[in-house]
């Protein structure tokens, strides 16, 4: 029901449209736009990796879709190649809003695909829309390199790698104090 409510409220050229929905005693059905080009995942696996130009082209569209969702206070939380389709002209169509949620500030629901989870989701610290930008960075890495930056056979190994990388980033990204600063 949550996915249906989100999908009913969005309209953007880089998001799959939902035309209508109905339900019977057991199931809910959503009639979605037919997107003929297939999953970005399949294209990425076939090509190995994307060129800089292809990656820029796709990422630009994803940025516009995420910016739109965030302007509607929707946190997508499921960005990955399997949830990106290509239309007949080769443009992105974002799909699968099962993890999307209206978020004014923070939420604490732990959901998503391990390789794309932001550190704050893994740590259960509460998260906002910034987790979508983390996932976009992971996706860009995968598009350009052909594999995600955090990989392990075990999801907990992936989580450890993400947390280690975020710790390194925090240390490297922090500014040193001036020698005269007491703190």
């Amino acid at each position: 029901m949550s996915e249906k409510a989100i999908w009913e409220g969005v309209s953007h050229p880089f998001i799959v449209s939902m035309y209508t929905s109905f339900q019977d005693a057991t199931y809910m059905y959503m009639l979605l736009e037919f997107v003929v080009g297939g999953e970005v995942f399949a294209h990425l696996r076939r090509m190995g990796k994307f060129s800089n130009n292809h990656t820029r082209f796709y990422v630009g569209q994803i940025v516009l879709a995420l910016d739109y969702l965030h302007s509607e206070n929707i946190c997508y939380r499921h960005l990955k190649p399997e949830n990106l389709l290509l239309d007949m002209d080769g443009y992105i169509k974002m799909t699968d809003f099962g993890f999307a949620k209206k978020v004014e500030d923070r939420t604490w629901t732990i959901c998503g695909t391990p390789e794309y989870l932001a550190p704050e989701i893994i740590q259960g610290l509460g998260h906002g829309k910034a987790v979508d930008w983390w996932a976009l960075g992971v996706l860009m890495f995968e598009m350009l390199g052909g594999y995600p930056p955090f990989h392990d056979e075990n999801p907990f190994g992936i989580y450890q790698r993400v947390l280690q990388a975020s710790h390194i980033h925090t240390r490297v990204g922090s500014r040193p104090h001036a020698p005269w600063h007491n703190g």
Side-chain angles (χ1 to χ4, degrees):
M1 294 302 286
S2 175
E3 181 176 17
K4 175 185 167 269
I6 297 269
W7 229 321
E8 284 176 333
V10 298
S11 177
H12 191 275
F14 301 131
I15 295 175
V16 172
S17 297
M18 182 177 81
Y19 296 125
T20 191
S21 65
F22 51 94
Q23 64 186 64
D24 60 22
T26 310
Y27 298 104
M28 179 187 320
Y29 303 90
M30 294 184 284
L31 181 60
L32 304 175
E33 171 185 12
F34 177 64
V35 183
V36 71
E39 294 178 354
V40 167
F41 177 82
H43 294 281
L44 185 55
R45 291 301 166 258
R46 183 176 44 79
M47 295 175 73
K49 61 184 177 178
F50 293 150
S51 69
N52 289 348
N53 287 336
H54 272 98
T55 300
R56 270 194 296 264
F57 180 70
Y58 295 141
V59 168
Q61 295 161 55
I62 296 165
V63 165
L64 292 173
L66 288 176
D67 184 58
Y68 165 75
L69 291 172
H70 292 175
S71 75
E72 299 291 319
N73 287 320
I74 297 170
C75 187
Y76 181 59
R77 303 189 306 175
H78 210 195
L79 188 60
K80 61 182 183 176
E82 294 89 334
N83 290 339
L84 299 170
L85 305 175
L86 295 178
D87 71 9
M88 64 191 299
D89 297 317
Y91 287 88
I92 290 287
K93 288 286 196 168
M94 193 179 290
T95 192
D96 189 353
F97 284 80
F99 290 155
K101 184 175 185 178
K102 283 269 192 182
V103 176
E104 296 290 329
D105 182 39
R106 294 184 159 259
T107 184
W108 284 262
T109 312
I110 297 176
C111 62
T113 302
E115 286 86 355
Y116 299 88
L117 291 182
E120 57 267 37
I121 294 176
I122 295 168
Q123 293 173 316
L125 299 175
H127 61 275
K129 297 176 240 26
V131 299
D132 289 337
W133 301 119
W134 173 278
L136 180 60
V138 172
L139 179 66
M140 285 181 357
F141 185 102
E142 186 171 359
M143 287 178 164
L144 291 167
Y147 53 89
F150 310 109
H151 180 73
D152 196 277
E153 299 299 318
N154 179 326
F156 292 106
I158 294 169
Y159 301 152
Q160 285 180 317
R161 292 175 189 274
V162 169
L163 294 175
Q164 287 169 348
S166 68
H167 175 70
I168 291 167
H169 172 73
T170 303
R171 269 191 330 182
V172 171
S174 63
R175 293 175 34 178
H177 291 296
W180 57 86
H181 185 266
N182 295 329

